[in-house]
Each structure stands twice: as C-alpha cells, then as structure tokens.
C-alpha cells in the first residue's frame, strides 16, 4: 500500500511593514512560530510569499503603487524555521522593491533551502516548475498571476509568470504546456498555483471554475489559488481538490469587520501517490501580525463559513469537536450542485 503523505497549503504570507518590525524586535519566529508545529509536522508545506525578502530600499521603478511589501532578510528564516518548503512567487508584490528585491528574494530562499516557482531572472525561470520528492512521491508546482502586468518576466527580463487569464486560449495553452512538462518529469502530483481575481471575493467566478476544471481535466492534481485575502469554498472535481482561494496566513492588514480577514485556514491534504484521502482544515487567527490557532468564537466563525461555502460547491465539511475535515463521499464529488 502506498504511504500516505501530508501536504500543507497556506495562503498569502506577508512579512513586511509592521510584521517586519515585529521580526526585528522579537526574532524571526514571531509571525509563524505559534503555528510552526502544524507546518513542520507535514511532509511538505507550501505557501504564497506575498512580499520581497530584501534589505534594499529601492522601490519598483514602474507606476507607483498604494502598498509596497518588503521583508528583511531574516524573514527567510521565519519561513524555514516554520517548516515552509516551497513558495509561490507569482503575485503582485514580488517586485515591489524592484529587480534587486526580486533577485535578493531568490538568493535568500535558496540559501535557506526553500524552493520556489512563479518568478525568476527571465521568463523561462519564472515559468519553470519546481520539483520536490517525499518518500518516493514526486510533487511539482508552477505558479501564475493575472495582475500587475508590468511585473511580467520577459525573455531576458526578471519578473513574475504573468498570464492574461481573459485570453482563455493562451491561458489553457500555457497550463497544458506546464502540466506536460511536469508529467514528462514523472511528477505524481502536479500543482497549479494561481494568484488570481480581486480582493474580497467570497466565491469563485464561473469563469475561474471553468479554468480550474479544465486544468484538472488536462492532468493537474491540485489547484492552489489565492489573492482574495479570504478563503473560499473547496471543490472536489474528479477526485482532485480545488482551493479557489486560500486566504491569508499572516499579515498586518486592516481587519474588515464584514469580511473578518483575520480569520483564516490552513489546508492539510492527506494523499498517496495517486489518490486524495482526506483534507484536514486548521482554523487560524491572525492577531498582532502573527498567526495563532483559532479557538472559541473565532474557531466557530471559520468553521461555519468554510462549511457553508464548501456546501455550495457540493462538498460536505465534517466536524467532531474541534476537528474539521473533508472525506468519504465528498472526495468523489465531480459536479457542482444545480443552480436553484
């Protein structure tokens, strides 16, 4: 029997601004230390890194932005010490501190043994899959972002793996090429990371559902998406998980009283070489620029929200006391419920 492995997925990790101040004052373990045991216990942990890791103060030379997210070099230790193995860099903050910020980020990640995909010194590197193996099971990931077009990598230009998702034909062509590359490399679980859509979207658009289904149909095993700053419902399509929005994992953002973006989730996938067995859900509370396990009213809010949103996608979240999971018949769900 194939061994069951645990893959932990976390949303946007922003270690700049006030979080950076906390790291300098209290040390690199401050932002993620309280949830590190969860991350470290997994066989593989993946997050979206929503900032540059650099000592440079040179801001992006292009059009001005409302926010620039830059973390100090020691933030790479925050990730490594917490157990993060892979990061997605295809997002709209990776080049906030210009090309130097990007190249510094790549260097700091490499120095701490953290793999990455979605950005690079040229287009080939930005689009290239990252590979990692655990107990004979091979994982691969590619990452793309649909906004901040001026961050796009070129043939000899550093940047992110940008995709205009409105161009469906070109999008699916790139998805297919990337999936084929991972299949040719013998990957058992190809992961497609997407930083897509607008902030505060509580549900995926019909078009995003179409793209996600098409990606699974062409061979991806996991869709891992983010950007909304909120978690959305989970769908199971042909036995494969689609996380339409993983939310945030740590940041210093204003907490909207309606959306409660301080209440988030970690997604733990139990899987073997060819099959998804269970998804465990770990509620997280972002408090004072650090992530802590959610309890009490915060736990109840998160549990109720993920249960309701996933039910809309035909997936039942089960609960026993303070344990939340998806398993059983829900893992074979292949369609969304009919519209009322």
């Amino acid at each position: 029997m194939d061994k069951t492995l645990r893959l932990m997925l976390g949303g946007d990790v922003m270690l700049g601004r006030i979080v950076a101040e906390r790291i300098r004052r209290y040390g690199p373990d401050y932002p993620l230390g309280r949830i590190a045991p969860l991350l470290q216990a997994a066989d593989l942990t993946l997050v979206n890194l929503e900032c540059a890791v650099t000592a440079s103060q040179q801001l992006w030379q292009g059009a001005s932005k409302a926010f620039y997210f830059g973390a100090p070099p020691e933030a790479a230790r925050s990730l490594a010490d917490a157990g993060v193995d892979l990061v997605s860099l295809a997002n709209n903050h990776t080049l906030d501190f210009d090309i130097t910020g990007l190249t510094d980020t790549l260097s700091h990640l490499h120095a701490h043994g953290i793999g990455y995909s979605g950005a690079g010194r040229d287009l080939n590197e930005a689009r290239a899959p990252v590979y990692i193996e655990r107990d004979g099971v091979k994982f691969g990931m590619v990452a793309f972002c649909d906004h901040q077009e001026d961050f796009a990598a070129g043939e000899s230009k550093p940047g992110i793996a940008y995709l205009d998702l409105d161009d469906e034909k070109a999008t699916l062509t790139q998805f297919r090429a990337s999936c084929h590359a991972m299949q040719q490399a013998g990957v058992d679980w190809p992961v497609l990371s997407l930083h897509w859509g607008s902030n505060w979207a509580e549900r995926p658009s019909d078009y995003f559902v179409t793209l996600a289904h098409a990606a699974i149909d062409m061979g991806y095993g996991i869709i891992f998406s983010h950007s909304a700053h909120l978690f959305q419902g989970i769908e199971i399509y042909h036995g494969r998980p689609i996380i339409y929005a993983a939310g945030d994992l740590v940041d210093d953002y204003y907490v909207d009283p309606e959306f409660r973006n301080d209440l988030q989730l970690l997604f733990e996938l139990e899987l073997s070489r060819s099959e998804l067995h269970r998804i465990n859900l770990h509620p997280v509370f972002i408090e004072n620029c650090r992530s802590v396990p959610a309890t009490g009213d915060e736990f109840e809010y998160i549990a109720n929200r993920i249960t309701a949103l996933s039910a809309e996608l035909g997936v039942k979240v089960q609960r026993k006391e303070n344990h939340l999971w998806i398993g059983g018949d829900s893992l074979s769900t292949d369609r969304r419920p009919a519209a009322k």
Side-chain angles (χ1 to χ4, degrees):
M1 179 181 293
D2 289 341
K3 180 178 179 180
T4 298
L5 300 174
R6 292 190 291 168
L7 169 63
M8 189 73 77
L9 302 175
D12 295 352
V13 171
M14 201 292 286
L15 301 173
R17 300 194 312 186
I18 303 174
V19 186
E21 294 176 9
R22 296 287 196 277
I23 290 172
R24 294 186 184 99
R25 181 173 181 179
Y26 299 113
D29 291 342
Y30 180 85
L32 296 171
R34 291 282 300 278
I35 60 169
L38 274 173
L39 307 183
Q40 295 164 348
D43 295 284
L44 182 62
T45 295
L46 164 63
V47 303
N48 176 60
L49 181 59
E50 186 88 350
C51 60
V53 179
T54 180
S56 174
Q57 297 300 307
Q58 175 62 61
L59 298 179
W60 173 242
Q61 297 283 299
S64 61
K65 303 180 60 171
F67 305 110
Y68 297 87
F69 298 154
E74 52 265 43
R77 265 195 61 198
S78 302
L79 298 169
D81 289 355
V84 173
D85 302 291
L86 298 177
V87 298
S88 168
L89 295 177
N91 61 67
N92 55 307
H93 289 287
T94 297
L95 272 81
D96 279 1
F97 284 77
D98 215 70
I99 302 303
T100 298
L102 169 60
T103 56
D104 284 350
T105 300
L106 303 183
S107 295
H108 290 307
L109 292 173
H110 179 75
H112 286 81
I114 299 171
Y116 60 84
S117 184
R121 296 169 182 85
D122 56 34
L123 184 59
N124 285 336
E125 184 179 1
R127 289 181 175 175
V130 59
Y131 300 110
I132 192 165
E133 190 170 315
R134 290 290 187 268
D135 289 324
V137 177
K138 191 169 184 178
F139 296 85
M141 181 186 74
V142 290
F144 300 99
C145 179
D146 73 340
H147 43 297
Q148 194 84 22
E149 184 176 0
D150 57 343
F151 276 12
E155 295 300 330
S156 57
K157 173 192 170 189
I160 66 170
Y162 169 81
L163 274 182
D164 178 4
L165 297 184
D166 289 334
D167 187 340
E168 183 174 358
K169 182 178 179 181
T171 294
L172 294 180
T173 296
Q174 181 60 57
F175 283 2
R176 190 171 291 107
S178 297
C179 189
H180 180 71
M182 289 190 283
Q183 291 169 331
Q184 290 295 104
V187 167
D188 300 295
W189 284 96
V191 179
L192 176 60
S193 174
L194 296 169
H195 200 71
W196 63 0
S198 59
N199 295 344
W200 316 119
E202 296 185 273
R203 293 166 178 82
S205 68
D206 289 342
Y207 179 53
F208 282 7
V209 171
T210 296
L211 290 179
H213 287 187
I216 296 294
D217 287 339
M218 65 180 64
Y220 285 96
I222 299 166
I223 310 298
F224 166 57
S225 304
H226 26 82
S227 182
H229 298 307
L230 308 171
F231 62 81
Q232 297 175 358
I234 301 167
E235 184 178 17
I236 307 298
Y237 179 72
H238 294 325
R240 299 304 191 226
I242 301 175
I243 298 173
Y244 286 105
D248 294 346
L249 188 55
V250 67
D251 56 51
D252 67 350
Y253 304 154
Y254 165 78
V255 177
D256 187 290
E258 176 183 356
F259 293 117
R260 287 307 305 268
N261 50 298
D262 56 337
L263 302 180
Q264 302 286 353
L265 275 172
L266 275 166
F267 306 80
E268 180 189 343
L269 279 54
E270 295 183 10
L271 43 79
S272 55
R273 184 183 302 277
S274 60
E275 186 177 357
L276 175 66
H277 300 291
R278 181 177 169 122
I279 301 176
N280 299 304
L281 303 170
H282 302 283
V284 171
F285 179 30
I286 302 175
E287 181 184 34
N288 296 324
C289 301
R290 63 179 179 175
S291 298
V292 302
T295 58
D297 290 344
E298 286 79 18
F299 183 99
E300 294 301 324
Y301 179 97
I302 296 165
N304 292 337
R305 186 167 181 273
I306 190 61
T307 298
L309 290 173
S310 297
E312 294 176 8
L313 298 170
V315 170
K316 180 181 179 180
V317 174
Q318 301 180 66
R319 177 176 180 177
K320 184 176 182 180
E321 298 177 346
N322 288 335
H323 300 283
L324 303 172
W325 74 92
I326 297 167
D329 291 344
S330 283
L331 297 184
S332 61
T333 298
D334 286 339
R335 63 178 178 82
R336 305 179 80 194
K340 295 181 180 179

